[in-house]
Amino acid sequence: MTANTDITALERDLVSEISAARDLSALEQVRIAALGKKGRVSELMAQLGKLAPDERKAFGQAVNAVKERVTGALEARKSDLEGAALDGRLATERLDVTLPVRPGPIADGRIHPVSQVYDEIIEIFGDMGFAVAEGPDIETDDYNFTKLNIPPEHPARQDHDTFYLQPKADGSRMVLRTHTSPVQIRTMLTQKPPIRIIVPGRVYRSDSDQTHTPMFHQIEGLVIDEVTHLGHLKWCLEEFCKAFFEVDDVKMRFRASHFPFTEPSMEVDIDAAAIGKPGSWLEILGSGMVHPNVIANCGLDPETYQGFAFGMGLDRIAMLKYGIPDLRDMFAADMRWLRHYGFLSLDVPTLAGGVSS
Ligand code: PHE
């Protein structure tokens, strides 16, 4: 066999191997076997040295021509295979964007009872003309306590189980707010009466058991103007309870109590009949007429302005309304619990539609 018939046979072999390669990795094997360092084309080149000088040139040119044609065939096959691979992917990943939305994510997602109850409360008070205000979770000692008529040595500070941050250079300390009441201060310092706000938010106290978690939620209410009195407070809370528990009538008990920032102060209980369990009273919030000192601390004249405030444990009334036995479950991020109590994401509470349905 002459060197030239070797070349012709080799080219025929290689071209048929190339067209037989079924995918890119098979083709790569063919390329290595042909053009790699120890490949068959390279080996032919190595024979060059054994040839008579007059044969070398023609042989060398012939091998180079084969190498070029094989390279061309490899490239052509490669781009065919790549095109086929892409077509295959496009076929499997085909997406018909004109199809209706799949129910998946919407059907799976649930609104947490805390978010649901926030929305319900905001809907109810919004309808009564209250705006939503917010404040920071990290609060100054001054706003969380002092301006609320709780001076530095006041025993009420101990009741709050406060989380303090490291003192600053000037000795002042920031706190994780122990209630939403500092937003009363922030609002009175920046807004002119009449003020009607509710303040949903997180609050923090160092306490943990079945009915206490170190972080929980409150809704604060504040009304400041020149005429609001205790009767308005009672009416507002009564209307709220009827709307929230979705009953025509709620029996309520206003119990004399004490908060440094209200005078008089009242804790409010509802007859558990509202949640289908008549026979006992359930405490749901603290309230009162805003203390004149608090109004003055915010630069308003307590001779002119007055009003009421209340603070409600949001998790607590969510537990009452929806029959949730353990507060800690609220924050366990357990999907099974969320599916059991959670609400559909598109069911936005409205008074017209029934706040919880
Ligand atoms: N801030 C009080 C608490 O957390 C609740 C409250 C708010 C009472 C407003 C009266 C008026 O216990």
Side-chain angles (χ1 to χ4, degrees), residues 14-307:
L14 289 179
V15 167
S16 81
E17 278 175 32
I18 287 168
S19 54
R22 308 206 53 140
D23 55 37
L24 290 166
S25 77
L27 187 67
E28 178 63 2
Q29 294 307 315
V30 176
R31 186 192 68 78
I32 292 168
L35 306 179
K37 263 209 181 97
K38 296 197 173 129
R40 291 159 73 187
V41 176
S42 315
E43 274 171 2
L44 270 186
M45 271 306 198
Q47 291 180 18
L48 212 59
K50 295 181 203 149
L51 296 179
D54 58 332
E55 287 175 331
R56 275 187 204 160
K57 187 173 175 203
F59 184 79
Q61 279 174 348
V63 175
N64 269 332
V66 168
K67 192 173 170 180
E68 257 168 47
R69 285 194 294 274
V70 167
T71 304
L74 279 165
E75 268 162 20
R77 182 72 186 144
K78 187 169 177 210
S79 84
D80 281 357
L81 287 173
E82 280 171 350
L86 184 61
D87 286 348
R89 249 186 81 188
L90 287 176
T92 58
E93 292 177 10
R94 194 183 136 81
L95 205 64
D96 184 348
V97 294
T98 65
L99 287 174
V101 177
R102 257 176 286 166
I106 294 170
D108 274 357
R110 287 293 181 276
I111 300 295
H112 195 284
V114 168
S115 306
Q116 168 75 18
V117 169
Y118 265 151
D119 290 347
E120 293 180 13
I121 294 177
I122 289 168
E123 167 71 8
I124 295 166
F125 280 108
D127 188 61
M128 289 192 235
F130 285 73
V132 174
E134 285 180 310
D137 290 15
I138 297 175
E139 191 49 280
T140 63
D141 186 284
D142 186 39
Y143 288 4
N144 193 80
F145 294 121
T146 313
K147 284 210 164 41
L148 284 164
N149 202 31
I150 316 178
E153 301 315 323
H154 197 286
R157 288 189 182 229
Q158 264 78 64
D159 301 340
H160 280 232
D161 299 313
T162 313
F163 289 111
Y164 286 97
L165 278 72
Q166 292 293 339
K168 296 193 210 173
D170 65 4
S172 67
R173 292 176 300 184
M174 302 294 279
V175 301
L176 293 184
R177 67 177 176 191
T178 58
H179 49 182
T180 40
S181 302
V183 186
Q184 290 187 29
I185 303 297
R186 290 177 173 273
T187 307
M188 282 189 270
L189 283 172
T190 53
Q191 289 179 28
K192 276 210 154 326
I195 291 169
R196 281 187 196 84
I197 53 154
I198 50 166
V199 183
R202 294 193 165 116
V203 300
Y204 304 83
R205 292 181 197 178
S206 175
D207 200 354
S208 182
D209 60 32
Q210 190 175 344
T211 52
H212 297 89
T213 46
M215 185 281 299
F216 58 104
H217 301 86
Q218 285 189 336
I219 287 241
E220 190 87 6
L222 175 70
V223 174
I224 297 288
D225 58 23
E226 298 184 26
V227 295
T228 289
H229 54 69
L230 201 73
H232 296 117
L233 166 60
K234 292 179 78 174
W235 180 87
C236 264
L237 292 177
E238 237 175 76
E239 285 305 301
F240 164 75
C241 285
K242 284 193 274 183
F244 180 73
F245 291 105
E246 298 173 76
V247 288
D248 293 333
D249 201 24
V250 185
K251 251 202 257 164
M252 300 177 77
R253 186 166 75 171
F254 291 79
R255 246 181 321 110
S257 180
H258 176 262
F259 300 102
F261 33 90
T262 47
E263 180 58 38
S265 304
M266 296 169 304
E267 279 176 301
V268 178
D269 305 333
I270 58 162
D271 184 339
I275 55 166
K277 293 179 184 155
S280 60
W281 292 103
L282 302 166
E283 184 193 324
I284 59 163
L285 59 88
S287 67
M289 299 305 292
V290 179
H291 197 294
N293 288 355
V294 175
I295 295 179
N297 286 345
C298 296
L300 297 173
D301 180 1
E303 296 296 327
T304 308
Y305 294 112
Q306 60 186 38

